[in-house]
């Protein structure tokens, strides 16, 4: 049985851009061993909103978003990471226009 006191809720809110949803893929990796993928989600539909949730043990992690055509989430793409209900990172389309990979490191617990 999971000890809820040792785990923290990570929520990923994703709003996909106009026509690039299927090109977006994200994953959460352990920072100590980036080959260890803890959770991921793809593909997305276009013009959609998603909320994914996962309980995370204390540690260091990297949230990675891939955009296979380097559209940078287009004009209206947006994502937000929440840890135990508090926003730890926000991204919207005018943060960066063109990228293939976007990384954000964060700590849990």
């Amino acid at each position: 049985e999971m000890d809820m006191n040792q785990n923290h809720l990570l929520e990923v809110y994703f709003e996909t851009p106009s026509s690039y949803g299927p090109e977006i893929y994200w994953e959460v990796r352990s920072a100590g061993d980036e080959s260890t993928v803890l959770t991921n989600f793809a593909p997305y539909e276009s013009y959609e909103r998603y909320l994914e949730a996962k309980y995370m043990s204390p540690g260091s992690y990297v949230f990675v978003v891939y955009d296979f055509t380097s559209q940078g989430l287009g004009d209206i793409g947006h994502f937000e990471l929440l840890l135990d209900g508090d926003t730890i990172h926000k991204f919207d389309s005018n943060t960066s226009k063109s990228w293939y990979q976007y990384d954000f490191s964060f700590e849990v617990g």
Side-chain angles (χ1 to χ4, degrees), residues 43-58:
Y44 286 108
E45 296 299 319
S46 296
Y47 287 118
E48 292 290 339
R49 293 179 177 153
Y50 296 90
L51 179 63
E52 309 295 334
K54 180 175 177 66
Y55 280 99
M56 309 288 290
S57 299

Side-chain angles (χ1 to χ4, degrees), residues 16 23 26 31-32 36 41 47 62 65 67 71-72 74 77 80 91:
T16 56
E23 300 163 3
W26 65 260
T36 302
F41 192 83
Y47 287 118
V62 182
V65 183
D67 180 348
Q71 303 288 349
E80 186 171 348
F91 176 97

Side-chain angles (χ1 to χ4, degrees), residues 33-98:
D33 177 8
E34 293 201 7
S35 65
T36 302
V37 176
L38 302 170
T39 187
N40 57 48
F41 192 83
Y44 286 108
E45 296 299 319
S46 296
Y47 287 118
E48 292 290 339
R49 293 179 177 153
Y50 296 90
L51 179 63
E52 309 295 334
K54 180 175 177 66
Y55 280 99
M56 309 288 290
S57 299
S60 300
Y61 299 96
V62 182
F63 177 78
V64 185
V65 183
Y66 300 99
D67 180 348
F68 294 120
T69 57
S70 188
Q71 303 288 349
L73 286 184
D75 293 331
I76 62 166
H78 168 87
F79 63 80
E80 186 171 348
L81 272 67
L82 297 94
L83 188 61
D84 295 328
D86 295 323
T87 297
I88 59 170
H89 189 67
K90 249 186 191 177
F91 176 97
D92 61 48
S93 58
N94 43 13
T95 303
S96 173
K97 280 294 186 187
S98 179

Side-chain angles (χ1 to χ4, degrees), residues 7-24:
N7 289 276
H8 299 269
L9 182 62
L10 176 70
E11 295 171 283
V12 179
Y13 170 77
F14 230 105
E15 187 171 329
T16 56
S18 54
S19 57
Y20 308 119
E23 300 163 3
I24 305 296

